[in-house]
């Protein structure tokens, strides 16, 4: 067993020993106020604070991520909680999935607000439409883009939104602003995906808002593909495999 696996197992055992079968009171208004103020002072955006499966810790949902905090606000934990009595069930992962599904239902409709800002590679014989949150510096995004003609030939229209993985202060963000501000967006996107230098330009743009929407949808990596029904598919899929998935969704 590797050192990493040992650490994971020990971490799971510790979390399992902390799990309490006794329920305890929901978070009080006083504790909620204390923790909210503490987190806001640290510039943490808090979506909700609730009791966690571990007695003495509270669960924070922040922009689709899950954290745990002590009742006095001194200790913040970032990690998974496993239930050893129920098949090593990853309670944190289950909660993240729950949050993302709720966020997707709420935020997926907002993708339509960005249709005028999308960079679209339209299939001549369009059968399916996908929306891809992409980063010009991402290797698998570049691989997907290199096969654009194959996707289009299969009837798949690809619509791009920006998701610079490093955030709004990253080089990729500034590159993507230049792409979206270029007179020839598709040409600039083609060049950027081939790692060619493009002319730095700025304008009024929605790259940050596109990124923020991706965060709200729970995106953590690129490419992330959204189907027309709102299904999210993280990662690259080759053209034929993607077509199979799309056809199964009919």
């Amino acid at each position: 067993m590797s050192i990493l696996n040992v650490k994971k197992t020990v971490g799971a055992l510790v979390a399992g020993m902390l799990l309490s079968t006794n329920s305890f009171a929901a978070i009080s208004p006083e504790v909620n106020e204390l923790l909210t103020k503490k987190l806001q002072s640290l510039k943490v955006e808090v979506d909700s604070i609730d009791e966690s499966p571990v007695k003495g810790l509270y669960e924070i949902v922040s922009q689709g991520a899950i954290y745990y905090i002590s009742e006095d606000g001194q200790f913040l934990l970032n990690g998974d909680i496993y239930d050893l009595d129920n098949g090593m069930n990853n309670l944190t992962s289950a909660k993240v999935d729950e949050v993302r599904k709720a966020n997707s239902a709420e935020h997926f409709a907002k993708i339509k607000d960005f249709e005028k800002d999308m960079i679209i590679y339209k299939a001549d014989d369009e059968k399916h439409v996908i929306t891809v949150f992409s980063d010009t510096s991402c290797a698998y995004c570049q691989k997907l883009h290199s096969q654009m003609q194959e996707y289009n030939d299969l009837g798949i229209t690809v619509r791009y939104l920006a998701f610079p993985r490093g955030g709004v202060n990253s080089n990729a963000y500034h590159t993507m602003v230049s792409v979206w501000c270029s007179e020839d967006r598709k040409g600039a996107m083609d060049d950027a995906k081939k790692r060619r230098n493009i002319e730095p330009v700025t304008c009024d743009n929605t790259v940050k808002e596109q990124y923020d929407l991706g965060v709200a949808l729970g995106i953590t990596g690129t490419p992330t593909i959204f189907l027309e029904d709102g299904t999210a598919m993280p990662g690259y899929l080759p053209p034929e495999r993607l077509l199979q998935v799309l056809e199964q969704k009919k």
Side-chain angles (χ1 to χ4, degrees), residues 38-39 54 65 76 89 94 108 122 169 178 190 198 240 245:
K38 183 65 174 284
L39 292 165
V54 179
L76 184 71
N89 184 27
F108 179 70
K122 185 173 175 58
N169 294 316
S178 294
D190 293 343
I198 62 172
E240 290 287 353
V245 172

Side-chain angles (χ1 to χ4, degrees), residues 32-229:
N32 184 76
E33 182 180 4
L34 183 152
L35 297 181
T36 299
K37 285 183 177 179
K38 183 65 174 284
L39 292 165
Q40 287 177 343
S41 72
L42 298 171
K43 309 298 183 185
V44 176
E45 293 186 23
V46 179
D47 298 325
S48 67
I49 303 176
D50 207 343
E51 61 180 20
S52 83
V54 179
K55 194 169 185 177
L57 290 181
Y58 291 90
E59 177 187 271
I60 302 161
V61 178
S62 174
Q63 295 184 306
I66 305 296
Y67 305 95
Y68 302 100
I69 192 169
S70 58
E71 188 171 9
D72 60 4
Q74 182 177 359
F75 300 104
L76 184 71
L77 305 179
N78 179 17
D80 293 342
I81 293 176
Y82 295 84
D83 186 347
L84 298 186
D85 291 338
N86 290 284
M88 286 284 287
N89 184 27
N90 189 326
L91 303 179
T92 304
S93 179
K95 181 64 176 184
V96 168
D97 288 343
E98 177 187 323
V99 169
R100 286 182 178 171
K101 285 178 182 177
N103 282 344
S104 293
E106 178 182 352
H107 294 290
F108 179 70
K110 295 181 182 178
I111 285 180
K112 289 186 176 294
D113 296 340
F114 292 93
E115 286 183 343
K116 68 181 185 302
D117 300 305
M118 294 176 178
I119 298 176
I120 301 174
Y121 291 78
K122 185 173 175 58
D124 291 335
D125 183 19
E126 183 180 278
K127 299 182 178 68
H128 304 283
V129 177
I130 62 171
T131 302
V132 182
F133 282 82
S134 186
D135 181 329
T136 52
S137 67
C138 153
Y140 279 104
C141 298
Q142 293 165 1
K143 182 174 178 62
L144 185 154
H145 193 80
S146 71
Q147 297 175 286
M148 186 62 69
Q149 191 60 55
E150 296 175 55
Y151 291 106
N152 287 168
D153 288 345
L154 292 172
I156 303 171
T157 289
V158 178
R159 312 188 306 179
Y160 278 137
L161 287 174
F163 192 83
R165 296 163 296 165
V168 297
N169 294 316
S170 64
N171 290 333
Y173 170 79
H174 296 295
T175 297
M176 299 188 88
V177 167
S178 294
V179 169
W180 258 261
C181 289
S182 295
E183 290 185 8
D184 178 7
R185 290 181 174 181
K186 290 175 70 174
M189 179 66 80
D190 293 343
D191 285 341
K193 288 290 179 71
K194 291 177 182 177
R195 295 185 177 273
R196 295 173 180 165
N197 291 329
I198 62 172
E199 181 182 357
V201 290
T202 60
C203 64
D204 290 334
N205 65 86
T206 62
V207 171
K208 180 182 183 301
E209 287 75 15
Q210 294 173 44
Y211 171 78
D212 290 341
L213 176 60
V215 171
L217 285 164
I219 294 173
T220 57
T222 53
T224 294
I225 300 169
F226 279 88
L227 310 187
E228 291 179 273
D229 65 355

